[in-house]
């Protein structure tokens, strides 16, 4: 095995939203900063990345526009030793052909979407030989147990959190100092039919509710016991600060969902909706995995379009959810993080 950290090409095709770019950047950055890898991120649409990481051009990852069509000549193919295709985005055929011309075939991974479903552990790490070329792709599945690829968590996460100053955060965004009976909530969701009902419940709540909506352009307003604040879309690193500043976080998709778990506070997940309700088994699988899943289930299902939303019932459960959420976060943090596991997986195959 060589002692020089490998070079790595990550390919990211942005489907919609921020999630694909968010995950690819997080992984790319960790491979570069924590493992010393030389990483290029090929992305077909830079717009989400600009919002997530305004200064991405300054490093530590080399971000390149993914040209379509991929030129058959002229584009440096300096033979990355590891090639990561995110979310089955399909590498350019010319790039794949060029992989066979290298003196040694690269370690080629397909980084999959996160799911708590039980089949994931059986598929994690499986090889998929190319039907025609002498290349093998491996499936790399993130996940919640040690039989999967784990979750993205930066080595400096705890240190960043220890430095977090909630008072300064609130002042920066024009929020009043915390009052003891108030509940502060962050809200990041897809279009959601249950939202008007939830707003009504918050407005009539016996306890003051302060809701922070990042990336929302609506005018901030107060109605009854609800104060709604629109916040700017925060840079990715600062999104954690918002989660730390809140008692309850509404999150969505994949990456914010993982960050809410690291925050170790009660949260509500809106899963990325798929045709024919294909997302519901994934939601159920996570609820079955989580130690507080039974308590979370009615409200989470309602937030995902199944059944009636009952805010008062969920709010009454929040104090009892704090401990299991914190414990779950600690359990997950005690397992190898995705970037470290992926590095080991690749180094074993580069020996
Ligand atoms: O943007 P998303 O809906 O992404 C989704 C999922 O990844 C889904 O699996 C995928 O199939 C689909 O896109 C195409 O939600 P997600 O995954 O939470 O990503 C949002 C990212 O944006 C996350 O890194 C948190 C970050 N973010 C900020 O950096 N600042 C902000 O102010 C907010 C609200 C989010």
């Amino acid at each position: 095995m060589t002692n020089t950290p490998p070079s790595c090409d990550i390919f990211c095709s942005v489907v919609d939203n921020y999630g694909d770019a968010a995950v690819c950047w997080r992984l790319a950055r960790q491979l570069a900063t924590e493992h010393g890898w030389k990483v290029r991120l090929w992305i077909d649409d830079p717009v989400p990345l600009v919002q997530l990481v305004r200064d991405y051009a300054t490093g530590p990852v080399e971000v390149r526009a993914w040209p379509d069509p991929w030129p058959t000549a002229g584009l440096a193919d300096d033979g990355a030793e590891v090639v990561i295709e995110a979310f089955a985005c399909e590498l350019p055929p010319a790039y794949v052909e060029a992989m066979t011309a290298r003196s040694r075939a690269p370690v080629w991974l397909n980084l999959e979407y996160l799911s708590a479903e039980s089949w994931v552990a059986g598929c994690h790490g499986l090889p998929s030989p190319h039907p025609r070329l002498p290349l093998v792709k491996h499936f790399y599945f993130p996940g919640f147990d040690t039989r999967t690829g784990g979750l993205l968590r930066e080595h400096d996460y705890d240190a960043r959190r220890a430095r977090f100053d909630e008072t300064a955060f609130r002042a920066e965004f024009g929020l009043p100092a915390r009052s003891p009976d108030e509940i502060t909530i962050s809200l990041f969701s897809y279009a959601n039919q249950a939202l008007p009902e939830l707003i009504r419940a918050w407005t009539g709540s016996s306890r003051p509710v302060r809701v922070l909506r990042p990336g929302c352009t609506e005018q901030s307003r107060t109605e009854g016991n609800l104060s709604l604040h629109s916040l700017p879309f925060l840079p990715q690193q600062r999104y954690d600060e918002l989660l730390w500043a809140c008692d309850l976080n509404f999150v969505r998709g994949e990456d914010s969902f993982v960050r809410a778990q690291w925050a170790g506070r009660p949260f509500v997940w809106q899963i990325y909706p798929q045709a024919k309700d294909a997302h519901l088994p994934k939601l159920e699988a996570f609820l079955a995995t989580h130690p507080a899943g039974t308590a979370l289930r009615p409200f989470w299902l309602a937030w995902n379009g199944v059944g009636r939303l009952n805010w008062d019932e969920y709010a009454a459960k929040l104090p009892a959810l704090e401990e299991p959420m914190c414990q779950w976060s600690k359990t997950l943090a005690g397992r190898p993080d995705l970037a470290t596991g992926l590095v080991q997986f690749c180094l074993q195959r580069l020996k």
Side-chain angles (χ1 to χ4, degrees):
M1 183 174 38
T2 160
N3 285 329
T4 318
S7 54
C8 172
D9 276 341
I10 301 180
F11 285 83
C12 176
S13 174
V14 173
V15 178
D16 59 8
N17 301 307
Y18 303 98
D20 298 332
V23 170
C24 288
W25 172 262
R26 223 180 255 296
L27 173 62
R29 188 172 160 276
Q30 255 188 284
L31 292 175
T33 57
E34 297 178 10
H35 300 278
W37 286 23
K38 187 170 175 288
V39 184
R40 284 190 302 199
L41 174 59
W42 298 92
I43 190 160
D44 62 355
D45 176 5
V47 172
L49 191 59
V50 173
Q51 283 198 273
L52 291 161
V53 196
R54 279 160 217 162
D55 59 350
Y56 71 79
T58 60
V61 172
E62 184 186 342
V63 177
R64 303 279 292 267
W66 176 342
D68 182 24
W70 188 272
T72 45
L75 197 59
D77 172 30
D78 42 15
E81 293 154 282
V82 176
V83 177
I84 301 175
E85 158 187 329
F87 313 121
C89 66
E90 263 200 53
L91 299 185
Y95 182 93
V96 176
E97 292 284 346
M99 286 185 351
T100 61
R102 299 176 192 171
S103 56
R104 161 189 213 158
V107 177
W108 178 10
L109 302 183
N110 176 21
L111 177 67
E112 290 282 353
Y113 285 112
L114 172 63
S115 171
E117 289 165 298
S118 55
W119 58 264
V120 166
C123 294
H124 172 61
L126 285 185
S128 165
H130 193 281
R132 193 170 48 83
L133 301 170
L135 295 167
V136 178
K137 175 159 66 175
H138 288 86
F139 294 103
Y140 207 87
F141 279 88
F144 299 93
D145 69 43
T146 48
R147 296 166 307 152
T148 69
L151 300 169
L152 286 167
R153 190 181 200 271
E154 297 78 13
H155 290 175
D156 67 351
Y157 181 87
D158 292 328
R160 284 200 301 120
R161 187 166 191 169
R163 288 196 301 269
F164 175 58
D165 180 344
E166 187 184 315
T167 308
F169 181 89
R170 288 180 77 103
E172 180 181 345
F173 293 103
L175 307 170
R178 236 180 208 284
S179 80
D181 62 334
E182 175 189 295
I183 178 166
T184 305
I185 298 173
S186 80
L187 178 58
F188 180 44
S189 69
Y190 303 111
N192 192 315
Q193 289 187 344
L195 183 58
E197 194 179 330
L198 185 57
I199 299 272
R200 268 195 300 280
W202 284 338
T203 306
S205 154
S206 54
R207 189 179 174 193
V209 179
R210 192 169 302 282
V211 175
L212 316 181
R213 291 192 78 179
C216 177
T217 49
E218 252 179 66
Q219 185 105 42
S220 299
R221 62 177 197 276
T222 301
E223 277 170 26
N225 245 347
L226 167 66
S227 303
L228 258 179
H229 295 261
S230 292
L231 260 50
F233 190 89
L234 300 165
Q236 193 184 49
Q237 282 258 344
R238 299 209 63 196
Y239 180 64
D240 284 326
E241 297 177 25
L242 176 66
L243 302 175
W244 299 333
C246 290
D247 306 299
L248 172 66
N249 294 299
F250 283 72
V251 291
R252 74 183 204 189
E254 178 163 328
D255 193 56
S256 57
F257 166 58
V258 172
R259 305 317 283 185
Q261 291 171 72
W262 296 139
R265 298 262 164 84
F267 68 104
V268 183
W269 180 33
Q270 187 178 9
I271 189 168
Y272 187 71
Q274 288 176 282
K276 297 186 184 153
D277 285 341
H279 54 288
L280 291 180
K282 294 182 188 171
L283 176 64
E284 290 285 10
F286 180 74
L287 288 168
T289 307
H290 196 284
T294 309
L296 302 174
R297 194 167 180 275
F299 192 82
W300 282 33
L301 282 180
W303 187 239
N304 284 279
V306 183
R308 190 87 206 279
L309 201 76
N310 187 336
W311 165 250
D312 289 337
E313 187 186 79
Y314 195 66
K317 288 178 185 171
L318 290 176
L321 285 175
E322 278 170 25
E323 209 278 322
M325 290 295 183
C326 190
Q327 199 45 52
W328 174 247
S329 183
K330 283 188 185 144
T331 304
L332 294 178
R335 296 177 180 158
D337 67 276
L338 189 143
T340 302
L342 187 145
V343 164
Q344 282 162 5
F345 186 92
C346 293
L347 292 184
Q348 277 161 11
R349 282 158 184 82
L350 287 171
K351 268 183 198 163

